[in-house]
Amino acid sequence: LETVQRERRSLLHALEEERREKTTLQQQVENLRENVRQSSERQQELEERLDASMAATKELRHVVRQSEEVQNIPSRDIQLTTQKLGKGSYGEVRIAYWQGCPVAVKMLYEALAGSL
């Protein structure tokens, strides 16, 4: 009878250890699931940022290509304003519009004198 009781205590102890280990493993699984969820969210955010960056890079390349193609813009395509951004010894810089976009135009003083 004593042997049976010892074996019973030993089995109960082993069962308790198994329960603790199961609880620990369940918590680890839950932690891993949370880590996977957070990693997935972070991955989604990074993919969205990468997509936006790639789109901006594509647009920038397009603008650079356009600016490389545009070397001399006819004055008839520029809508000059009277708003000055600055001036120097050779001329002044004014705001103008080209294809609806604001641009800075440097006007040389001799060109200014010729336009009067």
Side-chain angles (χ1 to χ4, degrees), residues 30-82:
E30 193 57 40
N31 289 343
L32 288 171
R33 284 184 178 143
E34 179 62 19
N35 287 344
V36 167
R37 185 190 65 75
Q38 289 176 358
S39 293
S40 294
E41 287 177 1
R42 180 69 175 144
Q43 179 183 358
Q44 181 66 31
E45 290 171 12
L46 291 172
E47 286 175 355
E48 289 171 5
R49 287 176 60 191
L50 178 61
D51 289 345
S53 178
M54 290 174 67
T57 300
K58 183 178 178 181
E59 177 64 22
L60 184 58
R61 284 185 180 144
H62 176 72
V63 168
V64 167
R65 264 188 254 111
Q66 278 185 330
S67 68
E68 288 171 349
E69 292 170 6
V70 176
Q71 294 178 4
N72 191 5
I73 300 170
S75 59
R76 67 180 176 275
D77 293 346
I78 302 288
Q79 290 83 44
L80 194 61
T81 69
T82 57

Side-chain angles (χ1 to χ4, degrees), residues 19-35:
R19 286 181 182 154
R20 279 194 291 266
E21 187 175 331
K22 179 182 175 186
T23 300
T24 300
L25 289 173
Q26 285 174 332
Q27 185 61 45
Q28 288 175 348
V29 166
E30 193 57 40
N31 289 343
L32 288 171
R33 284 184 178 143
E34 179 62 19
N35 287 344

Side-chain angles (χ1 to χ4, degrees), residues 75 80 89-94 105-116:
S75 59
L80 194 61
S89 59
Y90 292 102
E92 61 188 32
V93 178
R94 293 187 189 176
V105 174
K106 184 169 188 175
M107 301 285 297
L108 300 177
Y109 286 129
E110 58 188 53
L112 286 171
S115 68
L116 296 177

